[in-house]
Amino acid sequence: MSAVAQRPGRARRYTKARDRQVKFRATAEEYALLVEAARSAGLTPSGYAAEAALAAARGVRAPSLLPMREALVELMAARTQVRRFAVNVNQAVKALNATGEAPDWLATAVAITDESNANRH
């Protein structure tokens, strides 16, 4: 898909003109499957059909956003964890400023974070 330029919020558009046309017929059920697959990949049905056919001809996988969606879910989970850690840090700093001592739970929270970080590498 080297000739594809992505615009946010829109189906992919081809920067290199395709000057040949291939047509095929599909049943209503086949067309519905094609439309859904195209939507999932961020393409028009004809664009998806072209990319899928070319992928098959090249012996590679059809276009898909599934790996990106999986990465997005993982990124969102990581963001949630960072946010939770930030809340803990703010609470610890508030307690430290108020009493001059770190809260009892801070050492455990830091150890859990260190362990989690070590397991990711």
Side-chain angles (χ1 to χ4, degrees):
M1 282 194 276
S2 59
V4 177
Q6 181 71 23
R7 286 190 237 167
R10 302 191 68 178
R12 296 178 187 161
R13 303 287 184 233
Y14 295 94
T15 57
K16 183 177 171 184
R18 289 183 165 163
D19 59 353
R20 302 288 188 259
Q21 188 176 59
V22 176
K23 294 182 181 183
F24 73 95
R25 294 190 179 271
T27 66
E29 291 172 2
E30 292 168 335
Y31 184 74
L33 290 171
L34 177 65
V35 168
E36 180 58 29
R39 186 195 61 72
S40 294
L43 295 168
T44 63
S46 59
Y48 182 83
E51 290 298 327
L54 290 170
R58 292 179 183 123
V60 297
R61 296 183 73 182
S64 171
L65 288 180
L66 187 58
M68 284 187 258
R69 287 183 187 195
E70 290 172 355
L72 180 60
V73 167
E74 192 172 324
L75 179 64
M76 290 168 55
R79 180 177 178 237
T80 299
Q81 293 303 315
V82 168
R83 203 183 262 169
R84 287 178 181 161
F85 182 74
V87 168
N88 285 343
V89 168
N90 286 338
Q91 290 172 348
V93 169
K94 182 178 177 182
L96 184 60
N97 286 334
T99 65
E101 295 182 20
D104 297 336
W105 53 263
L106 182 59
T108 304
V110 170
I112 290 169
T113 303
D114 285 344
E115 181 180 321
S116 176
N117 190 36
N119 289 338
R120 305 254 327 146
H121 295 295

